[in-house]
């Protein structure tokens, strides 16, 4: 079974802080994704990566950046956290861009 | 108009009932269709994956795709309390940054 592990289940940070969310997958998948999930809005793609050191913007990249230094690890960075970034953050990976994505259990982030 | 429309529910059924969950879409280029189950405070878990049209069955779950009507369905037979979750549909025309999710239907199966 694919295992996507997100480092924190719950996180509380203050506005203006730099926040790092970490994600690791154990299936040697090429593609990794970061989403946020908000009630009534569903899942929205922030960034994705199809190879090490490669990244592409999703639908809502503003205020976020990403890093993929190793194939198995994909980090999401909030450069200066704001209250409107309070959300559930989900990491996913897939073997091929047209194959289903497999998700981690999410990080519920609160910005105070 | 949203790419994918899904009734948010909530939907409550008695144990043993047949459940029908549905999504409609507007993009005729969609050809990859998925259903995910998401328990409270967990990430989405892939249930079914279908390419193009037709039916796919896996145990108590059946996924149907009707491309002519731009309509997909997930049927759950003999529903169990453990099926209580939010069900998300997702679909894609292929390629990167081209996967669209419904907002999810919350299902409760009452013992």
């Amino acid at each position: 079974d694919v295992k996507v592990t997100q480092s924190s289940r719950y996180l509380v940070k203050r506005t203006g802080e730099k926040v790092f969310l970490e994600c690791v997958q154990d299936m040697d998948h090429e593609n990794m994704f970061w989403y946020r999930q908000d009630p009534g809005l569903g899942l929205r793609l922030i960034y994705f990566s199809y190879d090490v050191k490669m990244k592409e913007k999703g639908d809502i990249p503003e205020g976020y950046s990403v890093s993929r230094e190793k194939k198995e690890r994909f980090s999401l960075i909030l450069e200066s956290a704001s209250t409107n970034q309070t959300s559930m953050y989900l990491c996913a990976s897939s073997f091929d861009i047209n194959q289903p994505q497999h998700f981690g259990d999410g990080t519920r982030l609160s910005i105070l | 108009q949203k790419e994918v429309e899904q009734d948010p529910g909530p939907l409550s059924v008695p144990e043993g009932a047949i459940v029908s969950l549905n999504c409609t879409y507007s993009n005729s280029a969609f050809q990859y269709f998925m259903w995910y189950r998401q328990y409270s405070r967990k990430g989405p878990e892939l249930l079914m994956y279908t390419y193009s049209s037709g039916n796919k069955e896996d145990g108590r779950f059946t996924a149907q795709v009707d491309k002519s009507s731009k309509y997909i369905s997930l049927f759950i037979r003999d529903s169990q309390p453990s099926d209580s979750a939010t069900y998300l549909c997702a679909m894609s025309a292929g390629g990167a940054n081209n996967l669209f999710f419904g907002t999810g239907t919350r299902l409760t199966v009452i013992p």
Side-chain angles (χ1 to χ4, degrees):
Chain A
D1 272 357
V2 177
K3 184 76 172 173
V4 178
T5 303
Q6 294 184 232
S7 55
S8 304
R9 293 295 306 277
Y10 301 94
L11 211 51
V12 180
K13 297 290 182 180
R14 298 208 173 272
T15 54
E17 281 193 70
K18 191 169 186 175
V19 181
F20 294 86
L21 302 183
E22 306 287 344
C23 175
V24 176
Q25 51 95 1
D26 67 355
M27 284 300 292
D28 203 35
H29 283 175
E30 301 289 336
N31 308 288
M32 296 188 75
F33 308 82
W34 275 106
Y35 294 86
R36 61 178 285 176
Q37 185 177 31
D38 300 288
L41 296 177
L43 276 79
R44 292 180 291 168
L45 182 65
I46 304 171
Y47 268 97
F48 67 98
S49 168
Y50 53 88
D51 201 353
V52 174
K53 296 194 187 294
M54 305 302 289
K55 60 184 179 184
E56 293 285 344
K57 293 180 180 179
D59 300 317
I60 52 164
E62 296 78 19
Y64 303 95
S65 62
V66 289
S67 172
R68 194 165 179 203
E69 296 296 320
K70 293 186 177 181
K71 191 174 185 180
E72 67 271 17
R73 187 179 296 271
F74 192 34
S75 303
L76 179 70
I77 304 153
L78 285 66
E79 297 291 344
S80 177
S82 63
T83 54
N84 63 10
Q85 292 178 309
T86 291
S87 186
M88 168 75 117
Y89 289 87
L90 291 163
C91 175
S93 72
S94 71
F95 175 71
D96 180 86
I97 205 69
N98 292 326
Q99 290 296 309
Q101 296 175 21
H102 299 269
F103 286 84
D105 277 338
T107 296
R108 189 167 293 278
L109 175 64
S110 296
I111 308 295
L112 305 179
Chain B
Q1 185 184 8
K2 283 185 181 179
E3 296 275 358
V4 179
E5 298 277 2
Q6 184 174 12
D7 187 336
L11 181 63
S12 290
V13 301
E15 183 175 352
I18 296 174
V19 176
S20 172
L21 303 168
N22 310 294
C23 289
T24 58
Y25 62 94
S26 55
N27 187 345
S28 57
F30 286 157
Q31 52 184 337
Y32 302 92
F33 302 93
M34 287 140 278
W35 285 96
Y36 287 87
R37 176 176 63 197
Q38 186 173 20
Y39 291 116
S40 180
R41 288 184 287 277
K42 301 283 267 183
E45 169 195 10
L46 180 68
L47 268 181
M48 302 288 278
Y49 170 61
T50 310
Y51 172 71
S52 194
S53 283
N55 295 357
K56 185 173 184 178
E57 188 172 319
D58 184 1
R60 296 185 296 110
F61 298 90
T62 300
Q64 284 186 353
V65 175
D66 183 347
K67 293 186 76 176
S68 61
S69 302
K70 298 192 182 70
Y71 190 88
I72 70 170
S73 300
L74 178 71
F75 297 96
I76 307 173
R77 289 184 298 282
D78 187 25
S79 55
Q80 302 295 309
S82 58
D83 296 326
S84 298
T86 297
Y87 289 81
L88 303 167
C89 63
M91 49 198 81
S92 170
N97 197 15
N98 201 9
L99 181 64
F100 294 90
F101 287 86
T103 51
T105 300
R106 181 180 290 182
L107 171 68
T108 301
V109 180
I110 302 164

